Amino acid sequence: MEQQSSDPRTIVITGASDGIGAAAARRLAGAGHEVVVVGRSAEKAEAVARPLGARHFSADFARLDDVRRLAQDLRRAVPRIDVLVNNAGGIFDHRELTPDGHERTWQVNHLAPFLLTQLLLDRLTADGAAVVNTSSVAARLGRLRPEDLGDPRGWSPHRAYGDSKLANILFARALARRHGPAAAAFHPGGVATNFASATSTPLRFLYRTPLGRRLMISPERGAETLVWLAEGTPGRDWRSGGYYEKKRPARTNPRAHDDALADALWEHSAERVGLGPSAR
């Protein structure tokens, strides 16, 4: 039985219909927090939310109009947000453009959570909320440079994924520095979930074979740092703008500490999702 929190919070988790998002939702709800489940599939989101007595919403992050609708729905239905967990994401085999004209990995993993956070930013700031971004050790593979943002040359599934996970860390760093909401990014570990289960990249040997899955951790263990960040107090338990693994500060790509790159990424992202100068 979960120990009840003495500081119950309202926690919105995207990508919560499976994997570490669903595991974190169950753990946090069991501790007495009000969890809001967001998933790409309405049916799967409802299946996670119903036993928890939680509200649920659906949005396909490959469609920015879905993200805009989700933000409106959250603003109407959720009076207060204490923590926004940007957890949705994926890795894709082939370079393809979304209906919005962006490379799919970049949009799903970075542009969509960037847009959702921006559309809720006034509420998050007023509520004194924290933002938690699910990143990955793959951020070490990221080679983001300001002049490369949006450049399709040299695309590969691993570089696209690494760039997007580096962007998750840079976004948390810039959010904390520019706008005030406490923010952090974290690596959950190699988790045995349905993530990348359809890929033909070498990751398939981890996610689709018995041996590979035995080398990985459970979604419940993978969710531990997410839960720790969501329940923790910035400035006391964790440092805003930081990157964490196993509930501790972790090393990552040196570019993750480049404030000029973080600012360039912010400007690029705001322009690409159609936000005005006030978001920059």
Side-chain angles (χ1 to χ4, degrees):
M1 182 175 179
E2 295 284 352
Q3 182 176 355
Q4 293 292 299
S5 171
S6 60
D7 179 23
R9 299 174 180 181
T10 300
I11 303 170
V12 176
I13 309 176
T14 71
S17 57
D18 202 355
I20 67 168
R26 296 184 184 105
R27 174 88 171 268
L28 290 164
H33 300 288
E34 181 179 356
V35 173
V36 180
V37 173
V38 179
R40 184 168 63 90
S41 162
E43 293 76 14
K44 291 178 69 175
E46 182 182 10
V48 172
R50 189 188 312 112
L52 307 179
R55 284 172 287 189
H56 63 90
F57 300 88
S58 63
D60 182 351
F61 277 20
R63 297 180 176 274
L64 293 182
D65 278 348
D66 269 24
V67 178
R68 296 181 181 100
R69 175 181 51 77
L70 172 63
Q72 292 175 349
D73 289 345
L74 290 172
R75 293 179 75 94
R76 283 195 297 262
V78 183
R80 177 183 178 87
I81 299 175
D82 295 296
V83 185
L84 170 64
V85 181
N86 290 314
N87 174 67
I91 184 170
F92 308 102
D93 287 350
H94 307 291
R95 187 180 188 277
E96 62 178 278
L97 300 182
T98 68
D100 303 287
H102 310 302
E103 191 276 319
R104 187 180 180 191
T105 311
W106 187 243
Q107 176 167 321
V108 170
N109 292 359
H110 169 63
L111 289 178
F114 176 88
L115 176 60
L116 178 62
T117 306
Q118 292 287 351
L119 293 175
L120 297 174
L121 190 57
D122 61 331
R123 283 276 308 276
L124 297 173
T125 302
D127 293 343
V131 176
V132 176
N133 292 342
T134 302
S135 182
S136 167
V137 68
R140 295 179 184 178
L141 303 176
R143 295 187 289 171
L144 279 179
R145 297 181 299 178
E147 60 269 28
D148 290 343
L149 293 171
D151 189 339
R153 292 176 293 182
W155 188 93
S156 72
H158 291 93
R159 180 178 177 186
Y161 184 69
D163 282 353
S164 70
K165 295 292 100 179
L166 175 55
N168 295 154
I169 302 173
L170 287 163
F171 176 39
R173 181 180 180 88
L175 184 62
R177 181 168 53 88
R178 293 171 65 122
H179 286 283
F186 77 101
H187 170 49
V191 184
T193 69
N194 289 327
F195 171 82
S197 59
T199 185
S200 62
T201 71
L203 282 174
R204 70 186 183 277
F205 296 112
L206 281 176
Y207 287 90
R208 293 169 58 184
T209 66
L211 175 60
R213 292 180 75 85
R214 282 201 296 271
L215 296 174
M216 306 180 83
I217 63 176
S218 68
E220 288 71 27
R221 281 187 60 195
E224 287 179 358
T225 301
L226 189 164
V227 171
W228 172 73
L229 289 166
E231 292 192 308
T233 300
R236 185 190 70 189
D237 302 311
W238 51 268
R239 178 180 60 83
S240 186
Y243 170 73
Y244 293 86
E245 181 179 357
K246 297 180 181 178
K247 306 180 186 179
R248 296 190 298 269
R251 296 180 62 184
T252 186
N253 193 318
R255 294 174 192 247
H257 306 289
D258 185 339
D259 286 338
L261 177 58
D263 287 340
L265 173 65
W266 188 290
E267 298 289 336
H268 167 86
S269 303
E271 180 180 356
R272 295 294 283 170
V273 300
L275 295 176
S278 62
R280 304 177 192 177

